[in-house]
């Protein structure tokens, strides 16, 4: 491929990204791959088990919203399927997936479990954003990793995506992003910032569908069992 052809290809990609930003606002709220875990000591635990205190410099290929409701108390080390879950582009129009073992409502909006105060001061249904990320400068064979943005960090992520939209007129894949722990918080709160143009955009743009396949993968609910009701 000649240099002039490559430049033209990147220009076309940038134009397509600019058009896609028009629909980006609907995917955020105002103001099955390799997973990265957030540890209690505020480290990013990578899929190979190593820990990184951050900041992590990444490219966000794509993201989705997730809602998951678990109908039993959480226990450390106890992995149980969600009773009800939803995956979507727009958090305002999400509905429980038809494969949910015990659908709690016909729509997430208006569901009692998705209201603040349904579990202490928070929600009984866990809201999150799920990100598909790769390392900047990585080639098409590099592993795509998944990172879940917890409920307490959704506003920070959505605000960052809005900044990318307004300042760069692009989707998150169009920039490199720093992800780091909020030093002012004792819990695992994430912050996003320091965007700069993604020099590997030509490669990463071609991996968006691969990222979508991982982001939209449904959780395995085959082992779900209804909670045992206590006898009076």
């Amino acid at each position: 491929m000649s240099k002039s052809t490559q430049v033209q290809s990147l220009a076309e990609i940038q134009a397509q990204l600019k058009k896609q930003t028009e629909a980006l606002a609907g995917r955020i709220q105002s103001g099955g791959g390799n997973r990265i875990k957030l540890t209690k000591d505020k480290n990013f635990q990578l899929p190979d088990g190593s820990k990184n205190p951050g900041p992590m410099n990444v490219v966000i290929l794509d993201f989705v919203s997730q809602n998951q409701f678990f109908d039993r108390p959480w226990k450390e080390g106890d992995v149980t399927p969600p009773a009800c879950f939803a995956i979507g582009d727009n958090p305002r129009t999400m509905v429980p997936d038809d494969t949910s073992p015990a659908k709690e409502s016909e729509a997430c909006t208006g569901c009692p479990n998705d209201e603040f105060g349904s579990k202490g001061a928070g929600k009984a249904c866990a809201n999150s954003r799920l990100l598909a990320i790769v390392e900047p400068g990585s080639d098409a064979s590099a592993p795509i990793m998944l990172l879940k943005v917890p409920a307490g960090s959704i506003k920070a992520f959505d605000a960052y995506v809005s900044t990318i939209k307004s300042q760069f007129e692009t989707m998150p894949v169009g920039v490199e992003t720093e992800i780091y722990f909020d030093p002012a918080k004792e819990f695992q709160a994430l912050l996003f910032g320091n965007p700069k143009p993604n020099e590997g955009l030509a490669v990463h743009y071609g991996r968006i569908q691969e990222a979508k396949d991982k982001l939209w993968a449904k959780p395995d609910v085959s082992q779900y069992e209804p909670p045992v009701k206590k006898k009076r």
Side-chain angles (χ1 to χ4, degrees):
M1 180 183 291
S2 67
K3 184 176 181 181
S4 60
T5 303
Q6 184 178 13
V7 171
Q8 182 181 8
S9 177
L10 285 172
E12 291 174 351
I13 291 174
Q14 294 286 7
Q16 291 174 2
L17 288 175
K18 187 174 181 179
K19 289 181 180 179
Q20 291 175 14
T21 59
E22 300 301 321
L24 187 59
R27 297 178 57 187
I28 59 178
Q29 293 176 332
S30 300
N34 295 326
R35 289 184 177 266
I36 298 175
K37 299 179 181 179
L38 308 181
T39 64
K40 290 182 178 180
D41 57 352
K42 297 175 73 171
N43 273 275
F44 297 97
Q45 183 173 319
L46 303 179
D48 63 4
S50 63
K51 291 184 178 182
N52 183 344
M56 289 201 312
N57 194 33
V58 305
V59 172
I60 303 171
L61 298 176
D62 200 14
F63 69 93
V64 293
S65 295
Q66 279 192 340
N67 294 338
Q68 291 186 323
F69 172 72
F70 296 88
D71 55 7
R72 66 202 68 209
W74 177 83
K75 293 182 180 180
E76 188 170 0
D78 184 14
V79 180
T80 59
C84 184
F85 72 92
I87 305 172
D89 277 334
N90 189 331
R92 302 175 187 85
T93 59
M94 292 171 65
V95 297
D97 192 271
D98 288 337
T99 63
S100 296
K103 291 173 65 174
E104 293 290 309
S105 178
E106 291 302 314
C108 295
T109 299
C111 176
N113 293 315
D114 200 41
E115 300 291 338
F116 285 104
S118 55
K119 185 178 180 181
K123 295 181 179 182
C125 186
N127 302 154
S128 64
R129 302 282 185 267
L130 186 63
L131 318 182
I133 63 178
V134 292
E135 294 182 357
S138 60
D139 60 26
S141 64
I144 295 176
M145 297 174 286
L146 300 180
L147 174 65
K148 180 176 289 187
V149 177
S153 302
I154 287 179
K155 286 185 178 180
F157 176 73
D158 287 359
Y160 174 72
V161 174
S162 293
T163 298
I164 299 303
K165 175 180 180 292
S166 60
Q167 293 187 3
F168 290 82
E169 295 187 312
T170 189
M171 305 285 283
V173 69
V175 299
E176 295 181 14
T177 297
E178 276 193 5
I179 306 178
Y180 52 100
F181 289 98
D182 186 346
K185 303 289 179 61
E186 294 184 0
F187 55 93
Q188 302 98 318
L190 298 179
L191 294 175
F192 308 81
N194 302 320
K196 60 181 180 180
N198 177 14
E199 299 296 335
L201 179 59
V203 173
H204 297 150
Y205 186 80
R207 303 196 71 188
I208 289 180
Q209 185 56 54
E210 184 182 355
K212 287 183 180 295
D213 291 341
K214 295 180 181 296
L215 292 170
W216 287 85
K218 300 177 183 181
D220 181 6
V221 295
S222 60
Q223 302 302 311
Y224 172 82
E225 295 182 0
V228 178
K229 295 183 178 181
K230 294 182 179 181
K231 296 182 179 180
R232 293 184 179 180

